[in-house]
Amino acid sequence: AQSVSQHNHHVILSEAASLELGCNYSYGGTVNLFWYVQYPGQHLQLLLKYFSGDPLVKGIKGFEAEFIKSKFSFNLRKPSVQWSDTAEYFCAVNPQGAAGNKLTFGGGTRVLVKP
Amino acid sequence: GAGVSQSPSNKVTEKGKDVELRCDPISGHTALYWYRQSLGQGLEFLIYFQGNSAPDKSGLPSDRFSAERTGGSVSTLTIQRTQQEDSAVYLCASSLGRLAGGTDTQYFGPGTRLTVL
């Protein structure tokens, strides 16, 4: 079975600082990779996803993520955060070619951006 | 357009009672998923429906949990004889279900917060 680890549980930073959230997965085969975000009081929504091709994926709101196959990693980045990026971020995977699309999530990282 | 909706938004029940949680997926989405978000376990998969296929129940934690999807649309998650450890936010998601290999984007509802006293 696959597993997902997010190294930081909480991150606090100031506006305009750069953000990088780590995500590592454990699975013997090829996976699809996702980052979801949950803003305070809102539901989970997709930031970006990677299936194949260019390992640098750009998502909404200026976020990007890089898939490094050799490191089993899919880290999320944003060069300059805003107060509105305060949220909880979840990395998720599912095996490519699987009959079902059930996602395995990491434990989440709470990000607080101070104005 | 309308997103995934869930009801009730909050449910408080007593230990031992049965509860039903409802999910209305996005119209036209053939795939529907239930997840649970709890403090101790994070976000975990419960069950997955795809069209008329038999559901994937591999994530259900015990036989007290069951779910059905009527008419390929609305789904109900039932928890019988609730226990305190069932307290969590229950999330429903739906996707088009037409892309092979797990590449569908899942759209999540707002969740139902279940508190078992």
Side-chain angles (χ1 to χ4, degrees), chain B residues 33-103:
Chain B
Y33 316 76
W34 284 97
Y35 295 87
R36 179 168 71 172
Q37 188 174 22
S38 57
L39 279 176
Q41 302 297 324
L43 257 166
E44 52 181 346
F45 165 80
L46 297 177
I47 188 169
Y48 159 62
F49 296 89
Q50 172 58 66
N52 295 321
S53 303
D56 177 350
K57 304 179 183 180
S58 61
L60 294 179
S62 78
D63 58 9
R64 295 186 295 104
F65 288 72
S66 63
E68 62 177 20
R69 189 177 184 193
T70 53
S73 181
V74 171
S75 176
T76 303
L77 177 69
T78 302
I79 309 172
Q80 295 178 309
R81 306 180 302 282
T82 52
Q83 304 294 312
Q84 288 182 331
E85 61 262 28
D86 300 334
S87 295
V89 177
Y90 289 82
L91 295 173
C92 177
S94 70
S95 71
L96 280 171
R98 293 170 197 159
L99 295 178
T103 57

Side-chain angles (χ1 to χ4, degrees), chain A:
Chain A
Q2 61 266 26
S3 65
V4 181
S5 297
Q6 292 182 239
H7 317 298
N8 308 101
H9 298 294
H10 292 90
V11 172
I12 301 174
L13 60 169
S14 300
E15 277 192 312
S18 64
L19 172 70
E20 180 160 359
L21 303 181
C23 172
N24 284 87
Y25 67 92
S26 172
Y27 181 68
T30 308
V31 295
N32 302 309
L33 297 145
F34 305 80
W35 275 98
Y36 278 85
V37 61
Q38 189 168 29
Y39 297 103
Q42 297 186 28
H43 54 268
L44 273 169
Q45 54 187 286
L46 182 71
L47 267 181
L48 48 79
K49 58 185 179 181
Y50 172 79
F51 307 140
S52 63
D54 187 345
L56 185 62
V57 181
K58 295 193 182 300
I60 61 170
K61 305 189 181 188
F63 285 90
E64 64 180 31
E66 184 175 14
F67 171 52
I68 302 180
K69 188 174 181 179
S70 61
K71 296 185 178 180
F72 298 89
S73 71
F74 190 55
N75 292 354
L76 181 71
R77 297 194 292 253
K78 185 169 183 177
S80 176
V81 296
Q82 301 173 308
W83 175 78
S84 57
D85 293 322
T86 294
E88 189 162 15
Y89 294 80
F90 294 91
C91 181
V93 304
N94 65 16
Q96 280 196 8
N101 293 353
K102 56 188 178 184
L103 295 171
T104 299
F105 284 88
T109 300
R110 288 185 184 271
V111 174
L112 173 62
V113 180
K114 297 186 294 183

